[in-house]
């Protein structure tokens, strides 16, 4: 998953604020009990999400792809005191443990956890967002982007994770799986879209930072 050299990754983690005990526990518990634990954001990316959220100071956050709640809790650290984070996951097997982790956190009253298909749930959400984190099925990133852009305030942000897809988005002709293709299209589409400005941060698996201009 990480495209950066492992030594630099370790050095960066050693020189980054630590995870708090609850995040550490979720991290360990995910590796012990869940399929695909590498999907969890982890220490370095988690601190990056927290820092970005604290810089943005959002009132309303939307996350698409909750998994075990790690990134949601990192993003919630930047919420305004009267803020709310809505997070969506299609996998109902996550519900018990993830709800319990949220309940243990400082942010339990501020988190609205929805189980279901994000493409069905997003149109039902009635508030506008200051920050959106797209981290669900990679084939649908462009669909999520179009669905959420209209719900993002002018000057608001969308972060899209895994846009380098372990490096497969580079134009290697043999890498033609659907997720890689769709992520390549997504990255191109965002860069051409006049409604936004964007920067691709090549940390971990690549995070596209998008700011809505209009
Ligand atoms: N954001 C988490 C990791 C998310 S992993 C973190 O950084 O720690 C991706 C998640 O997207 C999985 O839990 C998967 O169940 C969810 N997902 C996949 N397709 C989805 C869909 N159509 N709607 C909502 N969630 C979806
Ligand atoms: Ca991810």
């Amino acid at each position: 998953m990480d495209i950066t050299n492992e030594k630099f990754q370790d050095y960066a983690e050693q020189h980054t604020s630590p995870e708090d005990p609850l995040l550490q526990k979720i991290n360990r518990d995910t590796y012990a009990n869940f399929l695909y634990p590498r999907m969890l954001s982890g220490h370095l990316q988690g601190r990056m999400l927290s820092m970005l959220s604290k810089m943005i100071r959002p009132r309303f956050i939307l996350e698409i792809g909750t998994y075990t709640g790690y990134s949601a809790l990192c993003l919630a650290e930047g919420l305004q005191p009267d803020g709310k984070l809505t997070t969506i996951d299609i996998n109902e097997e996550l519900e018990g443990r993830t709800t319990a982790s949220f309940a243990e956190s400082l942010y339990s009253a501020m988190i609205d956890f929805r189980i279901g298909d994000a493409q069905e749930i997003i149109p039902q959400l009635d508030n506008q967002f200051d920050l959106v984190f797209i981290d669900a099925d990679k084939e649908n990133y462009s669909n999520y982007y179009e669905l959420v852009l209209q719900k993002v305030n002018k000057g608001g942000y969308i972060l899209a994770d895994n846009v380098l897809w372990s490096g497969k988005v580079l134009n290697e002709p043999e890498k033609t799986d659907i997720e890689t293709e769709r992520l390549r299209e997504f990255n191109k589409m965002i860069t051409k879209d006049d409604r936004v400005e964007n920067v691709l941060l090549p940390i971990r698996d690549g995070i596209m930072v998008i700011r809505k201009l209009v």
Side-chain angles (χ1 to χ4, degrees):
M1 185 101 109
D2 299 324
I3 55 128
T4 42
N5 177 307
E6 207 175 301
K7 282 186 194 159
F8 286 125
Q9 177 82 13
D10 289 347
Y11 187 84
E13 286 197 351
Q14 284 156 17
H15 296 82
T16 293
S17 305
E19 301 167 284
D20 71 29
L22 176 59
L23 290 173
Q24 259 175 35
K25 183 170 144 192
I26 295 171
N27 202 336
R28 279 198 309 267
D29 182 63
T30 303
Y31 274 82
N33 297 298
F34 287 86
L35 283 174
Y36 315 115
R38 278 152 56 90
M39 296 198 303
L40 175 139
S41 277
H43 176 198
L44 186 65
Q45 175 156 317
R47 288 306 83 210
M48 182 75 213
L49 294 174
S50 159
M51 190 68 88
L52 286 170
S53 185
K54 286 168 182 165
M55 289 161 80
I56 296 166
R57 299 174 45 75
R59 182 149 178 245
F60 293 110
I61 302 178
L62 172 63
E63 176 180 69
I64 308 170
T66 318
Y67 192 43
T68 51
Y70 189 97
S71 52
L73 290 174
C74 295
L75 292 165
E77 292 174 28
L79 273 175
Q80 292 188 26
D82 62 345
K84 186 175 92 175
L85 179 147
T86 303
T87 182
I88 308 170
D89 205 291
I90 198 167
N91 182 0
E92 58 198 24
E93 289 171 19
L94 297 166
E95 190 168 9
R97 267 197 157 84
T98 302
T99 304
S101 296
F102 289 155
E104 238 184 272
S105 79
L106 292 173
Y107 310 101
S108 57
M110 301 160 97
I111 297 177
D112 176 14
F113 180 28
R114 311 269 187 112
I115 296 285
D117 187 340
Q119 291 199 70
E120 286 168 23
I121 292 177
I122 295 164
Q124 299 165 17
L125 302 174
D126 50 18
N127 58 288
Q128 292 289 109
F129 296 95
D130 309 299
L131 173 59
V132 178
F133 184 46
I134 302 179
D135 196 20
D137 47 328
K138 311 306 159 190
E139 307 91 278
N140 282 308
Y141 270 31
S142 298
N143 298 329
Y144 296 137
Y145 174 73
E146 286 303 338
L147 280 175
V148 299
L149 191 64
Q150 44 189 303
K151 293 180 184 289
V152 171
N153 291 314
K154 183 178 173 185
Y157 292 85
I158 299 172
L159 309 174
D161 195 26
N162 308 100
V163 296
L164 292 174
W165 207 228
S166 305
K168 286 191 273 186
V169 291
L170 301 185
N171 288 319
E172 299 166 46
E174 70 276 17
K175 302 285 167 29
T176 53
D177 60 286
I178 185 79
E179 291 167 318
T180 305
E181 290 289 326
R182 292 284 168 80
L183 283 169
R184 276 187 194 130
E185 287 164 19
F186 175 77
N187 290 338
K188 263 192 219 154
M189 187 263 285
I190 298 297
T191 308
K192 282 200 210 135
D193 190 337
D194 294 335
R195 297 170 295 179
V196 298
E197 58 184 328
N198 66 299
V199 55
L200 199 169
L201 293 183
I203 65 166
R204 192 168 169 267
D205 199 26
I207 306 175
M208 187 69 90
V209 180
I210 304 161
R211 179 173 176 269
K212 189 174 173 184
L213 296 168
V214 292

